[in-house]
Amino acid sequence: MQLVVGRIGRAHGIKGEVTVEVRTDEPELRLGPGAVLATDPAGVGPLTVASGRVHSGRLLLRFAGVPDRTAAEALRNTLLIAEVDPDETPEDPDEFYDHQLVDLDVVTVDGTEVGRITEIAHLPSQDLFIVERPDGSEVMIPFVEEIVTEIDLEAQRAVVDPPPGLLDAERAVIAGSRDESDGDSRGEGDR
């Protein structure tokens, strides 16, 4: 099974190093020297990690056959893909690979069906479950311990305890919208 483990950013320096946005909890295993990675777009790879280091909190990698800044800059925005055994699981029992979570049924703590996880969005601040509801609409659920209370891989379900309003998209109020009957007819210049 192939998993995206990083995305190449800008070139760093003149010797072919690149910054890497890490998308794995095990960078030392997946992005260590000697690792051979498939790429997206496929024509760029495969790439073999020659060396790596952390500089100012960012991972810098140098790949075999990428000798200078020009060659490194050509790799920008390339996804790095590692081959992973589908039966492999993270060492920490509270961590999961995306492929373990996609297709899990999502239910609330009282057993109400929410939908099915179709995707995991990895944002800088947190991960989100993209959940398709039975009616075909989608809802995003933050993958944080306070909301996702249980992941049961054997039962193929995720249990959530959502705060008020998270799942009630039809009742959400769009910021800045006003009910026309509230009598407020001020224009932008009247403030």
Side-chain angles (χ1 to χ4, degrees):
M1 166 175 295
Q2 294 189 324
L3 297 177
V4 173
V5 294
R7 184 182 64 80
I8 297 175
R10 300 183 321 217
H12 180 83
I14 60 171
K15 297 182 179 181
E17 284 185 311
V18 294
T19 61
V20 175
E21 174 189 319
V22 177
R23 295 189 181 174
T24 176
D25 290 335
E26 303 166 317
E28 63 285 342
L29 174 66
R30 308 281 182 222
L31 300 169
V36 178
L37 303 164
T39 60
D40 182 8
V44 174
L47 295 173
T48 302
V49 178
S51 65
R53 64 187 177 105
V54 176
H55 175 72
S56 298
R58 284 191 86 56
L59 178 63
L60 302 178
L61 293 181
R62 195 172 54 74
F63 296 102
V66 180
D68 58 27
R69 183 177 186 89
T70 303
E73 194 60 45
L75 298 174
R76 191 173 191 159
N77 292 322
T78 298
L79 294 177
L80 300 172
I81 302 166
E83 189 66 39
V84 177
D85 181 345
D87 295 328
E88 182 179 331
T89 59
E91 289 181 21
D92 185 340
D94 291 331
E95 292 181 3
F96 304 91
Y97 292 133
D98 288 4
H99 72 272
Q100 293 175 294
L101 301 171
V102 171
D103 287 333
L104 292 184
D105 292 320
V106 179
V107 297
T108 62
V109 290
D110 66 6
T112 304
E113 178 185 12
V114 176
R116 182 172 294 244
I117 299 172
T118 58
E119 180 182 352
I120 311 299
H122 300 281
L123 304 180
S125 59
Q126 67 190 13
D127 295 336
L128 293 174
F129 289 163
I130 308 301
V131 178
E132 184 177 337
R133 294 170 167 252
D135 66 6
S137 65
E138 285 186 340
V139 63
M140 292 183 275
I141 299 175
F143 186 22
V144 294
E145 190 175 352
E146 295 80 22
I147 297 173
V148 181
T149 61
E150 179 185 359
I151 299 290
D152 186 340
L153 295 178
E154 286 187 25
Q156 287 290 289
R157 71 180 185 149
V159 179
V160 297
D161 187 9
L166 181 67
L167 302 180
D168 301 327
E170 63 276 356
R171 293 189 346 208
V173 177
I174 298 172
S177 68
R178 298 180 183 264
D179 184 352
E180 291 181 18
S181 66
D182 70 1
D184 187 353
S185 60
R186 289 182 293 176
E188 194 169 305
D190 294 335
R191 294 192 174 126

